[in-house]
Amino acid sequence: QVQLVESGGGLVQPGGSLRLSCEARGSISRFNTMGWYRQAPGDQRELVADITSAGSTHYADSVKGRFTISRDSAKNTAYLQMNDLKPEDTAVFYCHLFYPIAQRGYWGQGTQVTVSS
């Protein structure tokens, strides 16, 4: 059983920063991809960024240069550092863990990020 525990969301002013954390608990295989998705009201869930167990990263065009994803594999934890936040970044952010060989994924419960003055 895999549980993803997210933290770090909140309210921030435009131009501000937040850091999200996602800890994977349970029996975690070392070969996985961890990522962050977001969903704004009325919109589909979209990929923000992900990182493989080898450290390869991928970002949505809308966050390149502002967001940085990283991971501590020893702690089974992924981080999303978000800088220069904009009102359009407001959404519920979800952590995702994916096993590419088994083609199986898990979701966190989501954490709200609100960017507003």
Side-chain angles (χ1 to χ4, degrees):
Q1 188 71 9
V2 173
Q3 182 184 17
L4 301 178
V5 180
E6 300 143 335
S7 61
L11 173 65
V12 65
Q13 292 186 342
S17 298
L18 283 174
R19 189 192 195 208
L20 305 183
S21 298
C22 172
E23 180 187 0
R25 298 177 179 176
S27 179
I28 308 299
S29 170
R30 62 183 299 181
F31 297 107
N32 60 69
T33 295
M34 296 188 74
W36 291 93
Y37 288 70
R38 67 185 178 187
Q39 187 169 20
D43 290 345
Q44 290 187 331
R45 193 172 297 189
E46 63 175 3
L47 175 66
V48 176
D50 62 22
I51 183 168
T52 69
S53 53
S56 296
T57 58
H58 172 259
Y59 294 92
D61 288 342
S62 59
V63 306
K64 284 180 180 177
R66 300 188 298 122
F67 292 9
T68 302
I69 190 169
S70 61
R71 65 188 291 165
D72 184 336
S73 294
K75 296 181 179 180
N76 290 321
T77 300
Y79 306 95
L80 185 68
Q81 177 66 42
M82 304 185 292
N83 299 327
D84 189 24
L85 282 160
K86 306 176 186 300
E88 51 265 40
D89 293 317
T90 296
V92 178
F93 281 69
Y94 296 90
C95 180
H96 186 251
L97 183 146
F98 182 68
Y99 290 129
I101 295 176
Q103 291 288 295
R104 184 168 184 176
Y106 302 87
W107 292 98
Q109 79 283 0
T111 185
Q112 177 70 46
V113 171
T114 302
V115 185
S116 175
S117 56

